[in-house]
Amino acid sequence: MLTVLLECRDQEPELAQTLSVLVAGAVEGLVSDVVVLDHGSRDGSSKVADAAGCRFHQHWDIKDILRSARGEWLLFVEPGARPQSGWIDEIAEYVALNKLPARFTASRGYRRPFYQRLRRLAPLELGLLLPKKHALATARSGMQLAEFVKGQKLRRLSAELIPSWVARSARG
């Protein structure tokens, strides 16, 4: 089972897009719970999370959140990111056979312009899949999800992810 974690701040439309894709993972029995960690949103993010059956936290400590996660594996994604077809089967197989962190492959259909591709990716632009035990061992109070990527040697899943910047750019 998998726990999905997202951090947001005033990202209601992006959050809704990501949560709508995760429904299929819940239906298939892969996603056990979704946790939305808020940074003072003033929009309807809490209502979107509640309607989707997510746990929504405005005041949180990452250690407490990780301990309460139902899944033995964690998937960190940015609001607006959308895993593409095949992600459920691939993650289910990956977590059954591996113990190392991984990330999605960038969507071939949504690529940044050439010069933007030369710079480093945002830490969670391609998500992060890691064992709960690993996350608990590295968690520190006040830590944000993006910090879990630091120092990781990540395997690459063949399943693609449309990054959150696509949803942000469509919003204007």
Side-chain angles (χ1 to χ4, degrees), residues 29-86:
L30 176 68
V31 176
S32 61
D33 61 324
V34 178
V35 181
V36 178
L37 306 173
D38 187 64
H39 290 283
S41 292
R42 294 179 308 266
D43 63 2
S45 294
S46 64
K47 291 178 183 163
V48 168
D50 184 55
C54 304
R55 289 187 288 147
F56 186 86
H57 299 275
Q58 290 182 311
H59 306 285
W60 48 274
D61 182 281
I62 194 63
K63 288 180 176 182
D64 295 333
I65 297 299
L66 295 176
R67 278 190 220 104
S68 70
R70 294 184 198 139
E72 291 304 311
W73 280 79
L74 309 173
L75 176 62
F76 300 162
V77 292
E78 297 176 332
R82 297 180 315 266
Q84 296 299 281
S85 65

Side-chain angles (χ1 to χ4, degrees), residues 14 48 52 71 73 75 81 96 100 108 114 118 122 127 130 133 154 156:
E14 292 91 345
V48 168
W73 280 79
L75 176 62
L100 299 172
R108 289 171 284 175
F114 177 73
L118 297 177
L130 75 160
K133 289 179 186 177
L154 302 171
R156 177 123 6 233

Side-chain angles (χ1 to χ4, degrees), residues 5 12 18 69 73 95 104 118 120 126 133 139 141 150 156 164:
L5 292 106
E12 177 184 354
T18 300
W73 280 79
V95 301
F104 288 97
L118 297 177
R120 289 189 91 127
L126 297 176
K133 289 179 186 177
S141 292
K150 292 179 184 173
R156 177 123 6 233
S164 63

Side-chain angles (χ1 to χ4, degrees), residues 91-151:
I91 287 180
E93 183 176 333
Y94 186 86
V95 301
L97 300 174
N98 294 279
K99 296 183 189 313
L100 299 172
R103 64 180 357 164
F104 288 97
T105 295
S107 173
R108 289 171 284 175
Y110 296 92
R111 296 181 59 120
R112 290 186 185 270
F114 177 73
Y115 288 112
Q116 288 183 9
R117 281 185 263 154
L118 297 177
R119 68 163 182 77
R120 289 189 91 127
L121 295 175
L124 292 178
E125 187 165 323
L126 297 176
L128 175 63
L129 176 67
L130 75 160
K132 179 179 174 178
K133 289 179 186 177
H134 183 87
L136 283 167
T138 59
R140 297 180 321 276
S141 292
M143 196 171 180
Q144 295 189 356
L145 298 183
E147 294 177 67
F148 284 91
V149 176
K150 292 179 184 173

